[in-house]
Amino acid sequence: MQLTPAPVTKLIEEFSRLPGIGPKTASRLTFYLLRNPADRAKVLAEALQQLHAKVTFCSQCFNITENNPCAVCSNEHRDPSIICVVEEPLDVIAIERTRDYHGLYHVLHGVIAPVEGIGPEDLRIAELLQRVRASDKVREVIIATNPNLEGEATAMYIARQFQGSKVKTTRLARGLPVGGDLEYADEITLSRALSGRSEIS
Amino acid sequence: MQLTPAPVTKLIEEFSRLPGIGPKTASRLTFYLLRNPADRAKVLAEALQQLHAKVTFCSQCFNITENNPCAVCSNEHRDPSIICVVEEPLDVIAIERTRDYHGLYHVLHGVIAPVEGIGPEDLRIAELLQRVRASDKVREVIIATNPNLEGEATAMYIARQFQGSKVKTTRLARGLPVGGDLEYADEITLSRALSGRSEIS
């Protein structure tokens, strides 16, 4: 006997396809929306439809934006001599929150991950090289990919592309997180923190 | 500077309003959909719109259904002398999975929870009483609300409504879960398991 109506099963299925949402959470969300007035589901549906319709990518840095070029690329007060390369649009937001960076960005939209079949050609790496070559202003490329295996490999790959050019490539410092506890730091972080130690001035 | 496009912020906001989804998960889901082809978001949006459009409640047991009355209520092979009262449609599915229950259901759509302002009048309790009174077949009402504070209070409230009538009200057995470990059982469960002990036949 089909006890769960098809539209309910369908929505549970669709929620389950999202990352980090299992069948239990998916059915909890579906029944939550079912209990609530139809407006709730409708507003969410509309927000989903607006997502791709109104959001585009900046043709210069490939960050998400409503207007092309994006707010950073079109801001004359930003320093065009530095480009910070990140994996995701969320990373741009994280770095902007520090209020310590005034250069431009370049969003790769992923990292090189051979296991998942993602190679350099699937990322915005060619566009980065093209962008740096076309400009005579870029002095430094900060490669701010995540400090994990794929992030490091991607950083190495990009750095290699700039070998022999006048552009300096740098990487964010690795070390103990502020507020962290030395006792609980893993060996790799601790050894990076040691080798990257700086003189107390 | 507005770094996140408004449609992105809006979808993050809408996801965050779902139970158990915090702002971090909400933005992870949003950026996941943004990275994927627009179809993915569209299919989810459509599933959301179909939810309330096609799903209705059974006028007899208030379970969710596409056809009214539902598959259980309209099934002549089900025993109309027993009604199992549950909190949610998901509970019906859980009990059906046992293949041990052949009576009818009544879905309350919640429990009495004074803290959240949910009283008996917000649940389908009046409809249950009306349904039992109108029928001369019902012999037993199994109150299968959850074995927690609100579930117990709701069960007590419903049982009181049937006091003095010929209908027997019962409650699901409390005890050690099958496959569980006596050592890790809490005191209340263990004391219920003790008082509810049965002779080995």
Side-chain angles (χ1 to χ4, degrees), chain A residues 47 50-58 61-72 89-90 92-93 107 109, chain B residues 1-13 27 30-31 34:
Chain A
Q50 294 290 308
L51 186 66
H52 284 269
K54 288 211 180 155
V55 177
T56 178
F57 295 101
C58 174
C61 74
F62 298 97
N63 194 4
I64 48 165
T65 179
E66 276 182 288
N67 308 304
N68 182 18
C70 74
V72 174
L90 278 174
V92 172
I93 298 167
V107 183
H109 291 281
Chain B
M1 190 172 9
Q2 178 59 39
L3 262 178
T4 319
V8 175
T9 316
K10 173 74 180 155
L11 184 56
I12 294 176
E13 240 176 67
S27 67
T30 303
F31 281 98
L34 206 52

Side-chain angles (χ1 to χ4, degrees), chain B residues 59-60 62 83 85 106-109 112 119-134 154 157-158 161-162:
Chain B
S59 60
Q60 211 173 326
F62 298 97
I83 293 179
V85 178
H106 193 89
V107 182
L108 296 175
H109 290 281
I112 300 172
E121 67 283 359
D122 298 313
L123 308 173
R124 299 298 191 175
I125 294 178
E127 286 87 346
L128 171 66
L129 301 176
Q130 168 64 26
R131 181 179 168 193
V132 173
R133 259 184 230 122
T154 308
Y157 178 88
I158 295 173
Q161 311 301 309
F162 285 108

Side-chain angles (χ1 to χ4, degrees), chain A residues 3-4 6-7 14 17 19 28 31-36 40 43 45 48 52 64 66 88-90 93 96, chain B residues 3-4 6-7 14 17 19 28 31-36 40 43 45 48 52 64 66 71 88 90 93 96:
Chain A
L3 262 177
T4 319
E14 284 305 320
R17 290 178 63 198
R28 196 165 44 79
F31 282 99
Y32 169 83
L33 287 169
L34 206 51
R35 267 200 311 278
N36 274 270
R40 283 296 303 275
V43 169
L48 281 160
H52 284 269
I64 48 165
E66 276 182 288
E88 305 289 347
L90 278 174
I93 298 167
E96 282 299 292
Chain B
L3 262 178
T4 319
E14 283 306 320
R17 291 178 64 198
R28 197 165 43 80
F31 281 98
Y32 170 81
L33 287 170
L34 206 52
R35 266 200 311 276
N36 275 270
R40 285 295 303 275
V43 169
L48 281 160
H52 284 269
I64 49 166
E66 276 182 289
E88 305 291 348
L90 278 175
I93 297 167
E96 281 298 293

Side-chain angles (χ1 to χ4, degrees), chain A residues 17-163:
Chain A
R17 290 178 63 198
L18 296 173
I21 296 199
K24 286 246 166 175
T25 307
S27 67
R28 196 165 44 79
L29 293 175
T30 303
F31 282 99
Y32 169 83
L33 287 169
L34 206 51
R35 267 200 311 278
N36 274 270
D39 281 17
R40 283 296 303 275
K42 213 179 133 201
V43 169
L44 181 56
E46 275 160 15
L48 281 160
Q49 274 159 339
Q50 294 290 308
L51 186 66
H52 284 269
K54 288 211 180 155
V55 177
T56 178
F57 295 101
C58 174
S59 60
Q60 211 174 326
C61 74
F62 298 97
N63 194 4
I64 48 165
T65 179
E66 276 182 288
N67 308 304
N68 182 18
C70 74
V72 174
C73 288
S74 59
N75 185 342
E76 287 176 20
H77 300 293
R78 307 287 302 213
D79 180 356
S81 71
I82 313 181
I83 294 178
C84 181
V85 179
V86 295
E87 293 181 18
E88 305 289 347
L90 278 174
D91 301 329
V92 172
I93 298 167
I95 295 175
E96 282 299 292
R97 265 200 301 263
T98 67
R99 293 166 183 270
D100 269 340
Y101 180 70
H102 306 291
L104 303 177
Y105 290 97
H106 193 89
V107 183
L108 297 175
H109 291 281
V111 272
I112 300 172
V115 181
E116 293 167 48
I118 302 170
E121 66 284 359
D122 298 314
L123 309 173
R124 298 299 188 175
I125 295 179
E127 287 87 346
L128 171 67
L129 300 177
Q130 167 65 26
R131 182 181 168 194
V132 172
R133 259 183 229 124
S135 155
D136 49 359
K137 290 178 192 153
V138 182
R139 282 183 298 107
E140 181 178 353
V141 172
I142 305 175
I143 309 175
T145 50
N146 286 328
N148 54 27
L149 207 69
E150 284 94 357
E152 296 290 347
T154 308
M156 296 309 289
Y157 178 86
I158 295 172
R160 246 197 330 267
Q161 311 303 309
F162 286 109
Q163 257 172 13

Side-chain angles (χ1 to χ4, degrees), chain B residues 116-149:
Chain B
E116 294 167 46
I118 302 170
E121 67 283 359
D122 298 313
L123 308 173
R124 299 298 191 175
I125 294 178
E127 286 87 346
L128 171 66
L129 301 176
Q130 168 64 26
R131 181 179 168 193
V132 173
R133 259 184 230 122
S135 156
D136 48 0
K137 291 178 191 153
V138 183
R139 282 182 298 105
E140 180 178 355
V141 171
I142 305 174
I143 310 176
T145 51
N146 286 327
N148 55 27
L149 207 70

